[in-house]
Amino acid sequence: MSSVICGSLAFDTIMNFEGRFSEQILPDQLHNLNVSFLVPALRREYGGCAGNIAYSLRQLGGTPLPMATVGSDGTDYLARLKAQGISTEFVRAVDELYTAQAMIMTDRDNNQITAFHPGAMMQAHLNRITARSDIKLGMISPDGRDAMLQHAEQFKAAGIPFVFDPGQGLPMFDGPELAHFVELASWVTVNDYEGRMLSDRTGLSSAELSCRVQGLIVTLGAQGCEVWVNGDKTVVPPVQADEVVDPTGCGDAFRGALLFGLEQGWPLAKCAALGNRVGARKIASRGGQNYTLDSALIAV
């Protein structure tokens, strides 16, 4: 069974600020903001939502099919995916653009400021989803606006159930557009902030949203997550990380585990519990694709 994961492949430039953003930004001067943060540590990682989710799913033994676009600088990323046993058949190269780039700065409290250049990602709508016997599931993660809209329709037309994971792409859509995504999707996953925005824009509570799909997951960071099915909420407790090193890609790691569980036909709460364990493993390592998983993690 394969899962198509629509979203970005990106290079992450990750910087660590040793202070706190809150101590450097004056609330009464936000209209005249001019700050500079000293970042002694800097590294470049492979990232992007589709890449991170595919990495997590592959680590668990699943078969991810990332659907994305890279630019003229994406050769190394494609080679890395292939080396991990991840197919690149749905990855399109756009030579005249750069691969998407995320510049992520993290303070000592794990707050993050991110600047994102979409680059080739804005051509992701050129990729199309069609029915295929081995493709049983899909996911729409943050991507180009047109791609997200079109891929949702294409998943539905192909009869492929999919997870709607709008992430940081959620603000691009108004209430009716988001309600239509929910109408087309089989599952929805958001973090708590995105969940509030989704409810505000659609006018639907978490309970009401969950009655329109097979299930809604709202992740709560260190507090675990909520699983909503047919209006009923189950709180799935968090898993304590061995250490908190880097939150980058933690949500994507969770979503890879979610897809794995859905591939196995698990109840949504069991999928979320695995997601919490995988997220705890990821947060103890740097970058979105440098952790390792084992079968013992699945068997818990």
Side-chain angles (χ1 to χ4, degrees):
M1 177 187 296
S2 300
S3 296
V4 173
I5 303 166
C6 301
S8 61
L9 295 178
F11 293 113
D12 293 340
T13 300
I14 302 172
M15 299 159 280
N16 291 330
F17 173 55
E18 296 178 348
R20 293 183 171 91
F21 296 144
S22 61
E23 296 172 348
Q24 304 293 318
I25 298 174
L26 301 175
D28 61 345
Q29 293 295 311
L30 291 178
H31 65 288
N32 189 32
L33 188 63
N34 187 359
V35 295
S36 176
F37 300 100
L38 178 65
V39 287
L42 182 149
R43 67 188 189 280
R44 198 177 195 222
E45 302 280 2
Y46 296 96
C49 292
N52 292 343
I53 295 168
Y55 179 87
S56 172
L57 179 55
R58 181 61 182 154
Q59 282 277 308
L60 290 165
T63 307
L65 293 172
M67 178 172 282
T69 47
V70 296
S72 57
D73 56 344
T75 303
D76 287 348
Y77 206 144
L78 295 177
R80 174 181 168 82
L81 290 172
K82 292 174 182 176
Q84 294 168 340
I86 298 174
S87 171
T88 60
E89 63 180 301
F90 294 146
V91 180
R92 178 188 295 264
V94 184
D95 291 338
E96 63 270 22
L97 298 172
Y98 288 113
T99 301
Q101 315 274 329
M103 280 64 75
I104 304 166
M105 183 163 48
T106 305
D107 76 358
R108 65 187 300 178
D109 293 329
N110 287 314
N111 297 307
Q112 291 185 320
I113 295 175
T114 301
F116 185 74
H117 170 66
M121 189 189 80
M122 297 308 292
Q123 301 300 314
H125 60 279
L126 298 176
N127 294 322
R128 294 189 59 82
I129 295 157
T130 57
R132 204 172 78 180
S133 60
D134 63 313
I135 298 173
K136 303 300 184 184
L137 289 173
M139 175 172 284
I140 292 180
S141 61
D143 207 348
R145 173 183 162 83
D146 289 344
M148 294 177 73
L149 290 166
Q150 293 176 26
H151 290 159
E153 298 284 357
Q154 291 163 12
F155 272 131
K156 188 69 173 181
I160 301 171
F162 72 92
V163 180
F164 178 49
D165 167 34
Q168 61 266 35
L170 193 153
M172 295 190 294
F173 304 102
D174 61 23
E177 289 170 330
L178 291 168
H180 189 53
F181 275 119
V182 173
E183 177 187 347
L184 297 173
S186 297
W187 304 273
V188 176
T189 180
V190 288
N191 64 27
D192 53 346
Y193 180 83
E194 295 156 2
R196 289 193 296 272
M197 182 179 291
L198 181 61
S199 290
D200 287 346
R201 294 198 174 183
T202 61
L204 299 168
S205 66
S206 292
E208 291 169 329
L209 286 164
S210 73
C211 291
R212 300 190 175 204
V213 290
Q214 294 182 36
L216 165 71
I217 293 180
V218 182
T219 58
L220 307 172
Q223 282 70 54
C225 63
E226 298 173 351
V227 174
W228 292 83
V229 178
N230 292 326
D232 295 325
K233 180 177 72 172
T234 300
V235 177
V236 180
V239 174
Q240 185 70 36
D242 291 338
E243 57 180 330
V244 178
V245 174
D246 181 7
T248 306
C250 189
D252 295 333
F254 180 100
R255 282 149 179 79
L258 169 62
L259 273 179
F260 178 82
L262 292 174
E263 287 183 354
Q264 311 310 306
W266 292 354
L268 204 56
K270 183 176 180 179
C271 299
L274 176 62
N276 286 346
R277 296 195 295 275
V278 171
R281 183 70 61 86
K282 190 269 129 227
I283 208 170
S285 66
R286 298 195 182 280
Q289 300 180 24
N290 295 317
Y291 57 95
T292 57
L293 304 175
D294 50 55
S295 58
L297 202 68
I298 300 171
V300 174

